[in-house]
């Protein structure tokens, strides 16, 4: 009988355990979530430029490369290309170094018509405004007709600079 009375009391108390008022009052609060975005740019990639293989340089040889720049939305920036690592190179005529201190001249341009060189100051820069995603820029290269140096592999290294 005691056992039966105990079970009866338990079953009567069970709904009170799940009643929201059985636990008393509730309290709430809030907190803020923040992030500060600063003006920023990065170079996501810069592809190599390969003029291929040739014998005598009797015609201009074109090639292209791509630079991907990503800046925060609304951030103005410029992209510059230096003279290259080979001594004697200029913005107008860069040089690839090869065997026996020989060089091959080439130029880098902002457009396919090969009229506006791409350099690292003033009007030679390429300008843009960030939109938050990567923006691709094509670099147009050209090896002009020139006296052909000795056989071998010729190369140069260009530094890309994004200023914002």
């Amino acid at each position: 009988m005691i056992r039966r009375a105990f079970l009866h009391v338990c079953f009567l108390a069970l709904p009170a355990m799940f009643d929201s008022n059985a636990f008393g009052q509730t309290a709430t609060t809030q907190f803020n979530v923040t992030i500060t975005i600063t003006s920023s740019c990065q170079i996501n990639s810069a592809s190599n430029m390969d003029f291929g293989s040739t014998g005598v340089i009797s015609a201009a040889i074109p090639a292209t490369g791509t630079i991907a720049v990503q800046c925060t939305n609304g951030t103005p920036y410029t992209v510059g290309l230096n003279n290259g690592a080979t001594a004697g190179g200029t913005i107008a005529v860069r040089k690839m170094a090869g065997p026996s201190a020989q060089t091959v001249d080439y130029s880098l341009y902002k457009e396919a018509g090969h009229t506006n060189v791409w350099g690292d100051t003033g009007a030679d820069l390429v300008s843009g405004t960030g939109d938050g995603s990567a923006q691709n820029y094509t670099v147009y290269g050209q090896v002009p007709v020139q006296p052909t140096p000795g056989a071998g592999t010729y190369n140069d290294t260009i530094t890309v600079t994004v200023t914002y």
Side-chain angles (χ1 to χ4, degrees):
M1 175 85 161
I2 294 177
R3 184 174 173 186
R4 189 176 213 181
F6 176 74
L7 288 175
H8 184 62
V9 170
C10 288
F11 282 121
L12 290 176
L14 192 59
M17 289 175 38
F18 294 104
D19 184 2
S20 64
N21 292 329
F23 295 110
Q25 301 298 318
T26 61
T28 63
T29 190
Q30 298 174 335
F31 63 93
N32 293 321
V33 178
T34 64
I35 185 172
T36 300
I37 303 293
T38 60
S39 291
S40 178
C41 291
Q42 64 186 26
I43 301 169
N44 289 352
S45 64
S47 67
N48 293 329
M49 183 176 293
D50 186 351
F51 289 101
S53 296
T54 190
V56 174
I57 304 174
S58 58
I61 303 167
T64 60
T66 303
I67 299 168
V69 176
Q70 184 175 5
C71 295
T72 50
N73 191 24
T75 301
Y77 63 89
T78 59
V79 182
L81 306 179
N82 76 343
N83 295 358
T86 303
T90 66
I91 293 302
V93 180
R94 293 169 167 98
K95 297 186 179 291
M96 289 181 271
S100 302
Q102 298 178 86
T103 61
V104 171
D105 293 346
Y106 72 102
S107 296
L108 300 176
Y109 299 94
K110 297 188 265 186
E111 83 294 317
H114 301 120
T115 55
N116 295 301
V117 294
W118 192 337
D120 58 1
T121 60
D124 295 337
L125 296 166
V126 170
S127 298
T129 301
D131 65 4
S133 62
Q135 296 173 296
N136 293 321
Y137 294 93
T138 301
V139 181
Y140 299 91
Q142 185 175 56
V143 171
V145 174
Q146 60 193 285
T148 305
T153 300
Y154 292 77
N155 56 60
D156 193 16
T157 302
I158 298 295
T159 300
V160 180
T161 302
V162 174
T163 304
Y164 57 97

